Amino acid sequence: MNAHWRSRFRITPEQLRQHKWFALFGKRLFAPELWQSGTRALSGACAAGLFASWIPLPMHSLIAVGLALLFSLNLPLALLAVWFNNPVTLPFMYLWAYRTGCALLQLTPAPFHLEWSLTWFEQEAATLLPPFLLGSLLLGLLTASLGGLLCALLLRLFRRH
């Protein structure tokens, strides 16, 4: 059962080759260093994926792939770690980022009333975006650091046994 479960979540180079967005990176996705399983590559990939999940832009996976390419990290784990940000956790993460940014900037969180109009976005962006972006950056760095450290500790523990 364990082998079946792992095979369902395994990411292969062939799967990435068939995906149109990952074709942007070309043959660099198939470099052997992106598929290694050393402690540095795995814990760094976990950190890169967690950091990318906090960036308030669409396509977190592409950001994680870029970080994995830049730092020669394990590509499959970086892509899996991005799913820390998913449809269930996203609203809570972004609310927490906004409130963290407000606390750092010593601002009172403003009540949030969403309207789907360009004028609303222009008026609210000046007050909502600075604390939100600061909180996202800080929580991304913190989560990436803690996740990478925890991953490295778990890898050492499992490799001992």
Side-chain angles (χ1 to χ4, degrees):
M1 172 149 169
N2 191 16
H4 174 68
W5 182 81
R6 284 187 303 174
S7 68
R8 289 182 61 199
F9 295 105
R10 183 169 292 158
I11 298 172
T12 64
E14 188 57 39
Q15 288 172 324
L16 293 179
R17 185 176 291 137
Q18 294 173 356
H19 200 283
K20 68 177 182 176
W21 290 105
F22 295 121
L24 296 170
F25 297 103
K27 292 184 180 186
R28 291 179 288 181
L29 290 181
F30 311 111
E33 60 268 11
L34 296 179
W35 300 87
Q36 61 187 335
S37 61
T39 303
R40 180 200 166 277
L42 291 173
S43 60
C46 185
L50 288 172
F51 178 76
S53 70
W54 281 97
I55 297 174
L57 294 173
M59 300 189 193
H60 297 97
S61 296
L62 292 178
I63 296 167
V65 168
L67 290 171
L69 283 169
L70 184 65
F71 296 110
S72 297
L73 305 172
N74 184 281
L75 182 62
L77 184 57
L79 287 172
L80 288 174
V82 166
W83 281 95
F84 176 71
N85 179 348
N86 59 62
V88 174
T89 61
L90 178 82
F92 301 107
M93 288 173 63
Y94 286 173
L95 178 63
W96 193 20
Y98 173 69
R99 291 195 175 182
T100 301
C102 284
L104 289 172
L105 295 174
Q106 299 178 349
L107 298 173
T108 304
F112 186 75
H113 303 288
L114 179 63
E115 293 178 24
W116 293 103
S117 68
L118 187 58
T119 56
W120 175 87
F121 183 76
E122 290 171 348
Q123 292 170 353
E124 297 295 321
T127 59
L128 296 177
L129 281 179
F132 173 63
L133 294 176
L134 178 64
S136 293
L137 178 65
L138 177 71
L139 291 173
L141 290 171
L142 182 65
T143 306
S145 300
L146 291 175
L149 180 64
L150 181 64
C151 184
L153 291 173
L154 287 173
L155 285 170
R156 285 192 181 165
L157 179 68
F158 285 124
R159 288 188 176 157
R160 273 193 203 156
H161 295 293

mmCIF file with all atom_site columns, all heavy atoms in Angstrom, residues 70-92:
data_model
loop_
_atom_site.group_PDB
_atom_site.id
_atom_site.type_symbol
_atom_site.label_atom_id
_atom_site.label_alt_id
_atom_site.label_comp_id
_atom_site.label_asym_id
_atom_site.label_entity_id
_atom_site.label_seq_id
_atom_site.pdbx_PDB_ins_code
_atom_site.Cartn_x
_atom_site.Cartn_y
_atom_site.Cartn_z
_atom_site.occupancy
_atom_site.B_iso_or_equiv
_atom_site.pdbx_formal_charge
_atom_site.auth_seq_id
_atom_site.auth_comp_id
_atom_site.auth_asym_id
_atom_site.auth_atom_id
_atom_site.pdbx_PDB_model_num
ATOM 1   N N   . LEU A 1 70 ? 17.372  27.900 -9.632  1.00 0.00 ? 70 LEU A N   1
ATOM 2   C CA  . LEU A 1 70 ? 18.379  28.869 -9.208  1.00 0.00 ? 70 LEU A CA  1
ATOM 3   C C   . LEU A 1 70 ? 19.331  28.291 -8.173  1.00 0.00 ? 70 LEU A C   1
ATOM 4   O O   . LEU A 1 70 ? 20.537  28.528 -8.224  1.00 0.00 ? 70 LEU A O   1
ATOM 5   C CB  . LEU A 1 70 ? 17.680  30.122 -8.648  1.00 0.00 ? 70 LEU A CB  1
ATOM 6   C CG  . LEU A 1 70 ? 18.557  31.283 -8.232  1.00 0.00 ? 70 LEU A CG  1
ATOM 7   C CD1 . LEU A 1 70 ? 19.278  31.862 -9.439  1.00 0.00 ? 70 LEU A CD1 1
ATOM 8   C CD2 . LEU A 1 70 ? 17.723  32.347 -7.563  1.00 0.00 ? 70 LEU A CD2 1
ATOM 9   N N   . PHE A 1 71 ? 18.792  27.502 -7.232  1.00 0.00 ? 71 PHE A N   1
ATOM 10  C CA  . PHE A 1 71 ? 19.608  26.987 -6.137  1.00 0.00 ? 71 PHE A CA  1
ATOM 11  C C   . PHE A 1 71 ? 19.901  25.482 -6.228  1.00 0.00 ? 71 PHE A C   1
ATOM 12  O O   . PHE A 1 71 ? 20.412  24.899 -5.278  1.00 0.00 ? 71 PHE A O   1
ATOM 13  C CB  . PHE A 1 71 ? 18.918  27.288 -4.796  1.00 0.00 ? 71 PHE A CB  1
ATOM 14  C CG  . PHE A 1 71 ? 18.789  28.746 -4.521  1.00 0.00 ? 71 PHE A CG  1
ATOM 15  C CD1 . PHE A 1 71 ? 17.549  29.363 -4.550  1.00 0.00 ? 71 PHE A CD1 1
ATOM 16  C CD2 . PHE A 1 71 ? 19.902  29.514 -4.250  1.00 0.00 ? 71 PHE A CD2 1
ATOM 17  C CE1 . PHE A 1 71 ? 17.422  30.719 -4.292  1.00 0.00 ? 71 PHE A CE1 1
ATOM 18  C CE2 . PHE A 1 71 ? 19.789  30.872 -3.995  1.00 0.00 ? 71 PHE A CE2 1
ATOM 19  C CZ  . PHE A 1 71 ? 18.555  31.481 -4.016  1.00 0.00 ? 71 PHE A CZ  1
ATOM 20  N N   . SER A 1 72 ? 19.564  24.835 -7.356  1.00 0.00 ? 72 SER A N   1
ATOM 21  C CA  . SER A 1 72 ? 19.778  23.398 -7.568  1.00 0.00 ? 72 SER A CA  1
ATOM 22  C C   . SER A 1 72 ? 19.161  22.563 -6.447  1.00 0.00 ? 72 SER A C   1
ATOM 23  O O   . SER A 1 72 ? 19.835  21.792 -5.774  1.00 0.00 ? 72 SER A O   1
ATOM 24  C CB  . SER A 1 72 ? 21.270  23.077 -7.704  1.00 0.00 ? 72 SER A CB  1
ATOM 25  O OG  . SER A 1 72 ? 21.810  23.714 -8.823  1.00 0.00 ? 72 SER A OG  1
ATOM 26  N N   . LEU A 1 73 ? 17.858  22.726 -6.267  1.00 0.00 ? 73 LEU A N   1
ATOM 27  C CA  . LEU A 1 73 ? 17.123  22.015 -5.223  1.00 0.00 ? 73 LEU A CA  1
ATOM 28  C C   . LEU A 1 73 ? 16.286  20.903 -5.847  1.00 0.00 ? 73 LEU A C   1
ATOM 29  O O   . LEU A 1 73 ? 16.101  20.857 -7.058  1.00 0.00 ? 73 LEU A O   1
ATOM 30  C CB  . LEU A 1 73 ? 16.216  22.996 -4.478  1.00 0.00 ? 73 LEU A CB  1
ATOM 31  C CG  . LEU A 1 73 ? 16.916  24.211 -3.884  1.00 0.00 ? 73 LEU A CG  1
ATOM 32  C CD1 . LEU A 1 73 ? 15.897  25.188 -3.343  1.00 0.00 ? 73 LEU A CD1 1
ATOM 33  C CD2 . LEU A 1 73 ? 17.896  23.796 -2.813  1.00 0.00 ? 73 LEU A CD2 1
ATOM 34  N N   . ASN A 1 74 ? 15.773  20.025 -5.025  1.00 0.00 ? 74 ASN A N   1
ATOM 35  C CA  . ASN A 1 74 ? 14.944  18.920 -5.485  1.00 0.00 ? 74 ASN A CA  1
ATOM 36  C C   . ASN A 1 74 ? 13.625  19.465 -6.033  1.00 0.00 ? 74 ASN A C   1
ATOM 37  O O   . ASN A 1 74 ? 12.806  20.006 -5.289  1.00 0.00 ? 74 ASN A O   1
ATOM 38  C CB  . ASN A 1 74 ? 14.699  17.945 -4.335  1.00 0.00 ? 74 ASN A CB  1
ATOM 39  C CG  . ASN A 1 74 ? 13.921  16.740 -4.769  1.00 0.00 ? 74 ASN A CG  1
ATOM 40  O OD1 . ASN A 1 74 ? 12.710  16.799 -4.911  1.00 0.00 ? 74 ASN A OD1 1
ATOM 41  N ND2 . ASN A 1 74 ? 14.624  15.646 -4.990  1.00 0.00 ? 74 ASN A ND2 1
ATOM 42  N N   . LEU A 1 75 ? 13.437  19.320 -7.315  1.00 0.00 ? 75 LEU A N   1
ATOM 43  C CA  . LEU A 1 75 ? 12.277  19.901 -7.992  1.00 0.00 ? 75 LEU A CA  1
ATOM 44  C C   . LEU A 1 75 ? 10.943  19.294 -7.559  1.00 0.00 ? 75 LEU A C   1
ATOM 45  O O   . LEU A 1 75 ? 10.001  20.039 -7.272  1.00 0.00 ? 75 LEU A O   1
ATOM 46  C CB  . LEU A 1 75 ? 12.465  19.790 -9.504  1.00 0.00 ? 75 LEU A CB  1
ATOM 47  C CG  . LEU A 1 75 ? 11.387  20.391 -10.373 1.00 0.00 ? 75 LEU A CG  1
ATOM 48  C CD1 . LEU A 1 75 ? 11.283  21.886 -10.148 1.00 0.00 ? 75 LEU A CD1 1
ATOM 49  C CD2 . LEU A 1 75 ? 11.668  20.102 -11.825 1.00 0.00 ? 75 LEU A CD2 1
ATOM 50  N N   . PRO A 1 76 ? 10.800  17.974 -7.468  1.00 0.00 ? 76 PRO A N   1
ATOM 51  C CA  . PRO A 1 76 ? 9.497   17.426 -7.059  1.00 0.00 ? 76 PRO A CA  1
ATOM 52  C C   . PRO A 1 76 ? 9.059   17.885 -5.668  1.00 0.00 ? 76 PRO A C   1
ATOM 53  O O   . PRO A 1 76 ? 7.894   18.210 -5.464  1.00 0.00 ? 76 PRO A O   1
ATOM 54  C CB  . PRO A 1 76 ? 9.713   15.912 -7.094  1.00 0.00 ? 76 PRO A CB  1
ATOM 55  C CG  . PRO A 1 76 ? 10.840  15.700 -8.037  1.00 0.00 ? 76 PRO A CG  1
ATOM 56  C CD  . PRO A 1 76 ? 11.723  16.902 -7.884  1.00 0.00 ? 76 PRO A CD  1
ATOM 57  N N   . LEU A 1 77 ? 9.991   17.934 -4.721  1.00 0.00 ? 77 LEU A N   1
ATOM 58  C CA  . LEU A 1 77 ? 9.606   18.358 -3.373  1.00 0.00 ? 77 LEU A CA  1
ATOM 59  C C   . LEU A 1 77 ? 9.242   19.842 -3.339  1.00 0.00 ? 77 LEU A C   1
ATOM 60  O O   . LEU A 1 77 ? 8.323   20.242 -2.625  1.00 0.00 ? 77 LEU A O   1
ATOM 61  C CB  . LEU A 1 77 ? 10.710  18.053 -2.361  1.00 0.00 ? 77 LEU A CB  1
ATOM 62  C CG  . LEU A 1 77 ? 10.364  18.371 -0.909  1.00 0.00 ? 77 LEU A CG  1
ATOM 63  C CD1 . LEU A 1 77 ? 9.112   17.625 -0.467  1.00 0.00 ? 77 LEU A CD1 1
ATOM 64  C CD2 . LEU A 1 77 ? 11.530  18.056 -0.003  1.00 0.00 ? 77 LEU A CD2 1
ATOM 65  N N   . ALA A 1 78 ? 9.937   20.656 -4.110  1.00 0.00 ? 78 ALA A N   1
ATOM 66  C CA  . ALA A 1 78 ? 9.592   22.083 -4.173  1.00 0.00 ? 78 ALA A CA  1
ATOM 67  C C   . ALA A 1 78 ? 8.165   22.259 -4.702  1.00 0.00 ? 78 ALA A C   1
ATOM 68  O O   . ALA A 1 78 ? 7.402   23.082 -4.191  1.00 0.00 ? 78 ALA A O   1
ATOM 69  C CB  . ALA A 1 78 ? 10.589  22.835 -5.042  1.00 0.00 ? 78 ALA A CB  1
ATOM 70  N N   . LEU A 1 79 ? 7.810   21.459 -5.701  1.00 0.00 ? 79 LEU A N   1
ATOM 71  C CA  . LEU A 1 79 ? 6.448   21.548 -6.252  1.00 0.00 ? 79 LEU A CA  1
ATOM 72  C C   . LEU A 1 79 ? 5.407   21.046 -5.261  1.00 0.00 ? 79 LEU A C   1
ATOM 73  O O   . LEU A 1 79 ? 4.306   21.598 -5.182  1.00 0.00 ? 79 LEU A O   1
ATOM 74  C CB  . LEU A 1 79 ? 6.361   20.761 -7.554  1.00 0.00 ? 79 LEU A CB  1
ATOM 75  C CG  . LEU A 1 79 ? 7.063   21.392 -8.753  1.00 0.00 ? 79 LEU A CG  1
ATOM 76  C CD1 . LEU A 1 79 ? 7.086   20.436 -9.923  1.00 0.00 ? 79 LEU A CD1 1
ATOM 77  C CD2 . LEU A 1 79 ? 6.401   22.698 -9.129  1.00 0.00 ? 79 LEU A CD2 1
ATOM 78  N N   . LEU A 1 80 ? 5.731   20.027 -4.502  1.00 0.00 ? 80 LEU A N   1
ATOM 79  C CA  . LEU A 1 80 ? 4.780   19.519 -3.511  1.00 0.00 ? 80 LEU A CA  1
ATOM 80  C C   . LEU A 1 80 ? 4.624   20.479 -2.332  1.00 0.00 ? 80 LEU A C   1
ATOM 81  O O   . LEU A 1 80 ? 3.531   20.636 -1.792  1.00 0.00 ? 80 LEU A O   1
ATOM 82  C CB  . LEU A 1 80 ? 5.210   18.140 -3.021  1.00 0.00 ? 80 LEU A CB  1
ATOM 83  C CG  . LEU A 1 80 ? 5.030   17.005 -4.012  1.00 0.00 ? 80 LEU A CG  1
ATOM 84  C CD1 . LEU A 1 80 ? 5.620   15.721 -3.459  1.00 0.00 ? 80 LEU A CD1 1
ATOM 85  C CD2 . LEU A 1 80 ? 3.578   16.820 -4.380  1.00 0.00 ? 80 LEU A CD2 1
ATOM 86  N N   . ALA A 1 81 ? 5.714   21.131 -1.933  1.00 0.00 ? 81 ALA A N   1
ATOM 87  C CA  . ALA A 1 81 ? 5.655   22.035 -0.786  1.00 0.00 ? 81 ALA A CA  1
ATOM 88  C C   . ALA A 1 81 ? 4.808   23.272 -1.084  1.00 0.00 ? 81 ALA A C   1
ATOM 89  O O   . ALA A 1 81 ? 4.278   23.894 -0.166  1.00 0.00 ? 81 ALA A O   1
ATOM 90  C CB  . ALA A 1 81 ? 7.065   22.442 -0.364  1.00 0.00 ? 81 ALA A CB  1
ATOM 91  N N   . VAL A 1 82 ? 4.674   23.619 -2.345  1.00 0.00 ? 82 VAL A N   1
ATOM 92  C CA  . VAL A 1 82 ? 3.838   24.767 -2.716  1.00 0.00 ? 82 VAL A CA  1
ATOM 93  C C   . VAL A 1 82 ? 2.391   24.547 -2.296  1.00 0.00 ? 82 VAL A C   1
ATOM 94  O O   . VAL A 1 82 ? 1.667   25.491 -2.004  1.00 0.00 ? 82 VAL A O   1
ATOM 95  C CB  . VAL A 1 82 ? 3.937   25.030 -4.233  1.00 0.00 ? 82 VAL A CB  1
ATOM 96  C CG1 . VAL A 1 82 ? 2.857   25.957 -4.717  1.00 0.00 ? 82 VAL A CG1 1
ATOM 97  C CG2 . VAL A 1 82 ? 5.285   25.609 -4.567  1.00 0.00 ? 82 VAL A CG2 1
ATOM 98  N N   . TRP A 1 83 ? 1.970   23.294 -2.213  1.00 0.00 ? 83 TRP A N   1
ATOM 99  C CA  . TRP A 1 83 ? 0.586   22.993 -1.866  1.00 0.00 ? 83 TRP A CA  1
ATOM 100 C C   . TRP A 1 83 ? 0.271   23.226 -0.399  1.00 0.00 ? 83 TRP A C   1
ATOM 101 O O   . TRP A 1 83 ? -0.837  22.940 0.050   1.00 0.00 ? 83 TRP A O   1
ATOM 102 C CB  . TRP A 1 83 ? 0.219   21.579 -2.304  1.00 0.00 ? 83 TRP A CB  1
ATOM 103 C CG  . TRP A 1 83 ? -0.059  21.586 -3.762  1.00 0.00 ? 83 TRP A CG  1
ATOM 104 C CD1 . TRP A 1 83 ? 0.805   21.286 -4.768  1.00 0.00 ? 83 TRP A CD1 1
ATOM 105 C CD2 . TRP A 1 83 ? -1.266  22.006 -4.384  1.00 0.00 ? 83 TRP A CD2 1
ATOM 106 N NE1 . TRP A 1 83 ? 0.195   21.483 -5.980  1.00 0.00 ? 83 TRP A NE1 1
ATOM 107 C CE2 . TRP A 1 83 ? -1.078  21.922 -5.770  1.00 0.00 ? 83 TRP A CE2 1
ATOM 108 C CE3 . TRP A 1 83 ? -2.499  22.449 -3.904  1.00 0.00 ? 83 TRP A CE3 1
ATOM 109 C CZ2 . TRP A 1 83 ? -2.072  22.251 -6.679  1.00 0.00 ? 83 TRP A CZ2 1
ATOM 110 C CZ3 . TRP A 1 83 ? -3.485  22.779 -4.810  1.00 0.00 ? 83 TRP A CZ3 1
ATOM 111 C CH2 . TRP A 1 83 ? -3.268  22.679 -6.176  1.00 0.00 ? 83 TRP A CH2 1
ATOM 112 N N   . PHE A 1 84 ? 1.217   23.792 0.341   1.00 0.00 ? 84 PHE A N   1
ATOM 113 C CA  . PHE A 1 84 ? 0.902   24.334 1.666   1.00 0.00 ? 84 PHE A CA  1
ATOM 114 C C   . PHE A 1 84 ? -0.177  25.401 1.498   1.00 0.00 ? 84 PHE A C   1
ATOM 115 O O   . PHE A 1 84 ? -1.051  25.575 2.340   1.00 0.00 ? 84 PHE A O   1
ATOM 116 C CB  . PHE A 1 84 ? 2.186   24.914 2.279   1.00 0.00 ? 84 PHE A CB  1
ATOM 117 C CG  . PHE A 1 84 ? 1.987   25.594 3.598   1.00 0.00 ? 84 PHE A CG  1
ATOM 118 C CD1 . PHE A 1 84 ? 1.697   24.858 4.732   1.00 0.00 ? 84 PHE A CD1 1
ATOM 119 C CD2 . PHE A 1 84 ? 2.097   26.961 3.715   1.00 0.00 ? 84 PHE A CD2 1
ATOM 120 C CE1 . PHE A 1 84 ? 1.515   25.471 5.961   1.00 0.00 ? 84 PHE A CE1 1
ATOM 121 C CE2 . PHE A 1 84 ? 1.922   27.590 4.938   1.00 0.00 ? 84 PHE A CE2 1
ATOM 122 C CZ  . PHE A 1 84 ? 1.630   26.836 6.049   1.00 0.00 ? 84 PHE A CZ  1
ATOM 123 N N   . ASN A 1 85 ? -0.091  26.115 0.387   1.00 0.00 ? 85 ASN A N   1
ATOM 124 C CA  . ASN A 1 85 ? -1.087  27.104 0.016   1.00 0.00 ? 85 ASN A CA  1
ATOM 125 C C   . ASN A 1 85 ? -2.077  26.397 -0.900  1.00 0.00 ? 85 ASN A C   1
ATOM 126 O O   . ASN A 1 85 ? -1.751  26.050 -2.014  1.00 0.00 ? 85 ASN A O   1
ATOM 127 C CB  . ASN A 1 85 ? -0.404  28.265 -0.714  1.00 0.00 ? 85 ASN A CB  1
ATOM 128 C CG  . ASN A 1 85 ? -1.370  29.317 -1.160  1.00 0.00 ? 85 ASN A CG  1
ATOM 129 O OD1 . ASN A 1 85 ? -2.571  29.138 -1.148  1.00 0.00 ? 85 ASN A OD1 1
ATOM 130 N ND2 . ASN A 1 85 ? -0.833  30.437 -1.570  1.00 0.00 ? 85 ASN A ND2 1
ATOM 131 N N   . ASN A 1 86 ? -3.265  26.180 -0.408  1.00 0.00 ? 86 ASN A N   1
ATOM 132 C CA  . ASN A 1 86 ? -4.294  25.501 -1.187  1.00 0.00 ? 86 ASN A CA  1
ATOM 133 C C   . ASN A 1 86 ? -5.614  26.239 -0.975  1.00 0.00 ? 86 ASN A C   1
ATOM 134 O O   . ASN A 1 86 ? -5.671  27.181 -0.180  1.00 0.00 ? 86 ASN A O   1
ATOM 135 C CB  . ASN A 1 86 ? -4.365  24.021 -0.790  1.00 0.00 ? 86 ASN A CB  1
ATOM 136 C CG  . ASN A 1 86 ? -4.676  23.837 0.665   1.00 0.00 ? 86 ASN A CG  1
ATOM 137 O OD1 . ASN A 1 86 ? -5.736  24.235 1.142   1.00 0.00 ? 86 ASN A OD1 1
ATOM 138 N ND2 . ASN A 1 86 ? -3.755  23.235 1.408   1.00 0.00 ? 86 ASN A ND2 1
ATOM 139 N N   . PRO A 1 87 ? -6.660  25.879 -1.665  1.00 0.00 ? 87 PRO A N   1
ATOM 140 C CA  . PRO A 1 87 ? -7.920  26.619 -1.522  1.00 0.00 ? 87 PRO A CA  1
ATOM 141 C C   . PRO A 1 87 ? -8.471  26.682 -0.100  1.00 0.00 ? 87 PRO A C   1
ATOM 142 O O   . PRO A 1 87 ? -9.194  27.619 0.238   1.00 0.00 ? 87 PRO A O   1
ATOM 143 C CB  . PRO A 1 87 ? -8.879  25.857 -2.440  1.00 0.00 ? 87 PRO A CB  1
ATOM 144 C CG  . PRO A 1 87 ? -7.997  25.247 -3.470  1.00 0.00 ? 87 PRO A CG  1
ATOM 145 C CD  . PRO A 1 87 ? -6.725  24.889 -2.751  1.00 0.00 ? 87 PRO A CD  1
ATOM 146 N N   . VAL A 1 88 ? -8.111  25.725 0.739   1.00 0.00 ? 88 VAL A N   1
ATOM 147 C CA  . VAL A 1 88 ? -8.597  25.745 2.118   1.00 0.00 ? 88 VAL A CA  1
ATOM 148 C C   . VAL A 1 88 ? -7.772  26.710 2.971   1.00 0.00 ? 88 VAL A C   1
ATOM 149 O O   . VAL A 1 88 ? -8.322  27.476 3.762   1.00 0.00 ? 88 VAL A O   1
ATOM 150 C CB  . VAL A 1 88 ? -8.559  24.317 2.720   1.00 0.00 ? 88 VAL A CB  1
ATOM 151 C CG1 . VAL A 1 88 ? -8.922  24.338 4.193   1.00 0.00 ? 88 VAL A CG1 1
ATOM 152 C CG2 . VAL A 1 88 ? -9.490  23.398 1.954   1.00 0.00 ? 88 VAL A CG2 1
ATOM 153 N N   . THR A 1 89 ? -6.461  26.694 2.812   1.00 0.00 ? 89 THR A N   1
ATOM 154 C CA  . THR A 1 89 ? -5.587  27.505 3.670   1.00 0.00 ? 89 THR A CA  1
ATOM 155 C C   . THR A 1 89 ? -5.381  28.934 3.159   1.00 0.00 ? 89 THR A C   1
ATOM 156 O O   . THR A 1 89 ? -5.004  29.802 3.936   1.00 0.00 ? 89 THR A O   1
ATOM 157 C CB  . THR A 1 89 ? -4.207  26.845 3.823   1.00 0.00 ? 89 THR A CB  1
ATOM 158 O OG1 . THR A 1 89 ? -3.593  26.741 2.540   1.00 0.00 ? 89 THR A OG1 1
ATOM 159 C CG2 . THR A 1 89 ? -4.333  25.485 4.472   1.00 0.00 ? 89 THR A CG2 1
ATOM 160 N N   . LEU A 1 90 ? -5.604  29.172 1.878   1.00 0.00 ? 90 LEU A N   1
ATOM 161 C CA  . LEU A 1 90 ? -5.315  30.482 1.281   1.00 0.00 ? 90 LEU A CA  1
ATOM 162 C C   . LEU A 1 90 ? -5.959  31.663 2.001   1.00 0.00 ? 90 LEU A C   1
ATOM 163 O O   . LEU A 1 90 ? -5.264  32.620 2.345   1.00 0.00 ? 90 LEU A O   1
ATOM 164 C CB  . LEU A 1 90 ? -5.708  30.476 -0.201  1.00 0.00 ? 90 LEU A CB  1
ATOM 165 C CG  . LEU A 1 90 ? -5.496  31.796 -0.930  1.00 0.00 ? 90 LEU A CG  1
ATOM 166 C CD1 . LEU A 1 90 ? -4.045  31.921 -1.345  1.00 0.00 ? 90 LEU A CD1 1
ATOM 167 C CD2 . LEU A 1 90 ? -6.395  31.873 -2.136  1.00 0.00 ? 90 LEU A CD2 1
ATOM 168 N N   . PRO A 1 91 ? -7.259  31.665 2.287   1.00 0.00 ? 91 PRO A N   1
ATOM 169 C CA  . PRO A 1 91 ? -7.841  32.836 2.953   1.00 0.00 ? 91 PRO A CA  1
ATOM 170 C C   . PRO A 1 91 ? -7.237  33.085 4.334   1.00 0.00 ? 91 PRO A C   1
ATOM 171 O O   . PRO A 1 91 ? -7.000  34.233 4.710   1.00 0.00 ? 91 PRO A O   1
ATOM 172 C CB  . PRO A 1 91 ? -9.324  32.500 3.068   1.00 0.00 ? 91 PRO A CB  1
ATOM 173 C CG  . PRO A 1 91 ? -9.572  31.343 2.204   1.00 0.00 ? 91 PRO A CG  1
ATOM 174 C CD  . PRO A 1 91 ? -8.278  30.671 1.961   1.00 0.00 ? 91 PRO A CD  1
ATOM 175 N N   . PHE A 1 92 ? -6.965  32.013 5.064   1.00 0.00 ? 92 PHE A N   1
ATOM 176 C CA  . PHE A 1 92 ? -6.390  32.170 6.401   1.00 0.00 ? 92 PHE A CA  1
ATOM 177 C C   . PHE A 1 92 ? -4.958  32.681 6.327   1.00 0.00 ? 92 PHE A C   1
ATOM 178 O O   . PHE A 1 92 ? -4.546  33.518 7.142   1.00 0.00 ? 92 PHE A O   1
ATOM 179 C CB  . PHE A 1 92 ? -6.446  30.837 7.155   1.00 0.00 ? 92 PHE A CB  1
ATOM 180 C CG  . PHE A 1 92 ? -7.839  30.318 7.304   1.00 0.00 ? 92 PHE A CG  1
ATOM 181 C CD1 . PHE A 1 92 ? -8.259  29.229 6.561   1.00 0.00 ? 92 PHE A CD1 1
ATOM 182 C CD2 . PHE A 1 92 ? -8.740  30.923 8.164   1.00 0.00 ? 92 PHE A CD2 1
ATOM 183 C CE1 . PHE A 1 92 ? -9.552  28.750 6.680   1.00 0.00 ? 92 PHE A CE1 1
ATOM 184 C CE2 . PHE A 1 92 ? -10.032 30.461 8.296   1.00 0.00 ? 92 PHE A CE2 1
ATOM 185 C CZ  . PHE A 1 92 ? -10.436 29.370 7.553   1.00 0.00 ? 92 PHE A CZ  1
#
